[in-house]
Short mmCIF file of all heavy atoms in Angstrom, two decimals:
data_model
loop_
_atom_site.label_atom_id
_atom_site.label_comp_id
_atom_site.label_asym_id
_atom_site.label_seq_id
_atom_site.Cartn_x
_atom_site.Cartn_y
_atom_site.Cartn_z
N PRO A 562 0.82 -1.22 0.00
CA PRO A 562 0.00 0.00 0.00
C PRO A 562 0.85 1.27 0.00
O PRO A 562 1.99 1.28 0.48
CB PRO A 562 -0.80 -0.12 1.31
CG PRO A 562 -0.74 -1.56 1.68
CD PRO A 562 0.59 -2.06 1.19
N ASP A 563 0.26 2.35 -0.51
CA ASP A 563 0.96 3.63 -0.56
C ASP A 563 1.43 4.07 0.82
O ASP A 563 2.54 4.60 0.97
CB ASP A 563 0.06 4.71 -1.15
CG ASP A 563 -0.15 4.55 -2.65
OD1 ASP A 563 0.41 3.60 -3.23
OD2 ASP A 563 -0.88 5.38 -3.23
N GLU A 564 0.59 3.84 1.84
CA GLU A 564 0.96 4.31 3.17
C GLU A 564 2.19 3.59 3.73
O GLU A 564 2.97 4.16 4.49
CB GLU A 564 -0.21 4.19 4.14
CG GLU A 564 -0.81 2.80 4.27
CD GLU A 564 -1.97 2.56 3.32
OE1 GLU A 564 -2.03 3.23 2.26
OE2 GLU A 564 -2.82 1.70 3.65
N VAL A 565 2.38 2.33 3.32
CA VAL A 565 3.58 1.61 3.74
C VAL A 565 4.81 2.19 3.05
O VAL A 565 5.87 2.37 3.66
CB VAL A 565 3.44 0.10 3.44
CG1 VAL A 565 4.76 -0.63 3.68
CG2 VAL A 565 2.34 -0.50 4.29
N ILE A 566 4.67 2.51 1.76
CA ILE A 566 5.79 3.13 1.04
C ILE A 566 6.13 4.48 1.66
O ILE A 566 7.31 4.83 1.80
CB ILE A 566 5.45 3.27 -0.45
CG1 ILE A 566 5.18 1.88 -1.06
CG2 ILE A 566 6.59 3.96 -1.20
CD1 ILE A 566 4.73 1.90 -2.51
N GLU A 567 5.13 5.22 2.06
CA GLU A 567 5.37 6.50 2.73
C GLU A 567 6.14 6.31 4.04
O GLU A 567 7.05 7.08 4.36
CB GLU A 567 4.04 7.21 2.98
CG GLU A 567 3.36 7.68 1.70
CD GLU A 567 1.92 8.13 1.92
OE1 GLU A 567 1.44 8.00 3.08
OE2 GLU A 567 1.28 8.59 0.96
N ARG A 568 5.77 5.26 4.78
CA ARG A 568 6.46 4.99 6.05
C ARG A 568 7.91 4.58 5.81
O ARG A 568 8.82 5.00 6.54
CB ARG A 568 5.72 3.88 6.81
CG ARG A 568 6.29 3.58 8.19
CD ARG A 568 5.31 2.77 9.02
NE ARG A 568 5.12 1.42 8.52
CZ ARG A 568 5.82 0.36 8.95
NH1 ARG A 568 6.75 0.52 9.87
NH2 ARG A 568 5.60 -0.83 8.46
N LEU A 569 8.14 3.81 4.76
CA LEU A 569 9.50 3.41 4.43
C LEU A 569 10.34 4.60 3.97
O LEU A 569 11.52 4.71 4.31
CB LEU A 569 9.48 2.34 3.34
CG LEU A 569 8.87 1.00 3.74
CD1 LEU A 569 8.72 0.10 2.52
CD2 LEU A 569 9.74 0.31 4.78
N ALA A 570 9.71 5.51 3.22
CA ALA A 570 10.41 6.72 2.79
C ALA A 570 10.85 7.54 3.99
O ALA A 570 11.97 8.06 4.04
CB ALA A 570 9.53 7.54 1.85
N ALA A 571 9.97 7.65 4.99
CA ALA A 571 10.31 8.40 6.20
C ALA A 571 11.44 7.74 6.97
O ALA A 571 12.19 8.41 7.71
CB ALA A 571 9.07 8.53 7.08
N ALA A 572 11.59 6.40 6.81
CA ALA A 572 12.63 5.66 7.52
C ALA A 572 13.98 5.68 6.80
O ALA A 572 14.97 5.19 7.35
CB ALA A 572 12.19 4.22 7.73
N GLY A 573 14.01 6.23 5.58
CA GLY A 573 15.28 6.32 4.86
C GLY A 573 15.35 5.56 3.56
O GLY A 573 16.43 5.42 2.98
N LEU A 574 14.20 5.07 3.06
CA LEU A 574 14.17 4.41 1.76
C LEU A 574 14.70 5.35 0.69
O LEU A 574 14.36 6.53 0.67
CB LEU A 574 12.73 4.00 1.43
CG LEU A 574 12.52 3.17 0.16
CD1 LEU A 574 13.08 1.76 0.33
CD2 LEU A 574 11.04 3.12 -0.20
N THR A 575 15.55 4.82 -0.21
CA THR A 575 16.13 5.64 -1.26
C THR A 575 15.31 5.61 -2.54
O THR A 575 15.23 6.60 -3.26
CB THR A 575 17.57 5.17 -1.58
OG1 THR A 575 18.34 5.17 -0.39
CG2 THR A 575 18.23 6.09 -2.59
N GLY A 576 14.71 4.46 -2.85
CA GLY A 576 14.00 4.38 -4.11
C GLY A 576 12.95 3.30 -4.14
O GLY A 576 12.75 2.56 -3.17
N VAL A 577 12.26 3.20 -5.27
CA VAL A 577 11.21 2.20 -5.47
C VAL A 577 11.35 1.64 -6.88
O VAL A 577 11.62 2.38 -7.84
CB VAL A 577 9.80 2.80 -5.24
CG1 VAL A 577 9.52 3.95 -6.19
CG2 VAL A 577 8.74 1.72 -5.36
N GLU A 578 11.21 0.33 -7.01
CA GLU A 578 11.30 -0.34 -8.29
C GLU A 578 9.97 -0.13 -9.03
O GLU A 578 8.98 -0.78 -8.71
CB GLU A 578 11.58 -1.83 -8.06
CG GLU A 578 12.07 -2.58 -9.27
CD GLU A 578 12.49 -4.01 -8.91
OE1 GLU A 578 11.68 -4.73 -8.29
OE2 GLU A 578 13.62 -4.38 -9.25
N VAL A 579 9.98 0.74 -10.00
CA VAL A 579 8.77 1.10 -10.73
C VAL A 579 8.58 0.21 -11.94
O VAL A 579 7.51 -0.35 -12.17
CB VAL A 579 8.81 2.59 -11.14
CG1 VAL A 579 7.65 2.92 -12.08
CG2 VAL A 579 8.77 3.49 -9.90
N ASP A 580 9.63 0.09 -12.74
CA ASP A 580 9.55 -0.69 -13.98
C ASP A 580 10.04 -2.11 -13.72
O ASP A 580 11.24 -2.36 -13.53
CB ASP A 580 10.38 -0.02 -15.08
CG ASP A 580 9.80 1.33 -15.48
OD1 ASP A 580 8.56 1.40 -15.66
OD2 ASP A 580 10.56 2.30 -15.58
N HIS A 581 9.09 -3.03 -13.72
CA HIS A 581 9.36 -4.44 -13.42
C HIS A 581 8.47 -5.26 -14.34
O HIS A 581 7.33 -4.86 -14.64
CB HIS A 581 9.04 -4.73 -11.95
CG HIS A 581 9.34 -6.12 -11.50
ND1 HIS A 581 8.51 -7.19 -11.78
CD2 HIS A 581 10.39 -6.63 -10.79
CE1 HIS A 581 9.04 -8.29 -11.26
NE2 HIS A 581 10.16 -7.98 -10.67
N PRO A 582 8.92 -6.42 -14.82
CA PRO A 582 8.11 -7.20 -15.75
C PRO A 582 6.73 -7.58 -15.23
O PRO A 582 5.81 -7.79 -16.03
CB PRO A 582 8.96 -8.46 -15.98
CG PRO A 582 10.36 -8.00 -15.78
CD PRO A 582 10.28 -6.99 -14.66
N ASP A 583 6.56 -7.64 -13.91
CA ASP A 583 5.26 -8.01 -13.34
C ASP A 583 4.39 -6.82 -12.96
O ASP A 583 3.35 -6.99 -12.32
CB ASP A 583 5.47 -8.90 -12.10
CG ASP A 583 6.07 -10.25 -12.45
OD1 ASP A 583 6.00 -10.63 -13.63
OD2 ASP A 583 6.60 -10.92 -11.56
N HIS A 584 4.79 -5.61 -13.36
CA HIS A 584 4.00 -4.41 -13.07
C HIS A 584 3.18 -4.01 -14.28
O HIS A 584 3.72 -3.84 -15.38
CB HIS A 584 4.90 -3.24 -12.67
CG HIS A 584 5.44 -3.31 -11.28
ND1 HIS A 584 6.31 -2.38 -10.77
CD2 HIS A 584 5.20 -4.19 -10.28
CE1 HIS A 584 6.60 -2.68 -9.51
NE2 HIS A 584 5.94 -3.78 -9.20
N ALA A 585 1.89 -3.83 -14.08
CA ALA A 585 1.01 -3.36 -15.15
C ALA A 585 1.26 -1.87 -15.42
O ALA A 585 1.75 -1.15 -14.55
CB ALA A 585 -0.44 -3.59 -14.75
N PRO A 586 0.94 -1.40 -16.62
CA PRO A 586 1.18 0.01 -16.96
C PRO A 586 0.55 0.99 -15.98
O PRO A 586 1.19 1.99 -15.60
CB PRO A 586 0.57 0.15 -18.36
CG PRO A 586 0.70 -1.22 -18.95
CD PRO A 586 0.46 -2.16 -17.81
#
């Protein structure tokens, strides 16, 4: 969920894997 990504960003996450073969457009 978006809120988990937000929490990880606050903890120091540098990036997110956006383009992946299993991700829909």
Side-chain angles (χ1 to χ4, degrees):
D563 288 0
E564 56 268 25
V565 172
I566 300 176
E567 292 168 357
R568 184 164 68 93
L569 293 172
L574 186 70
T575 305
V577 59
E578 196 173 53
V579 171
D580 294 315
H581 183 281
D583 293 342
H584 283 177

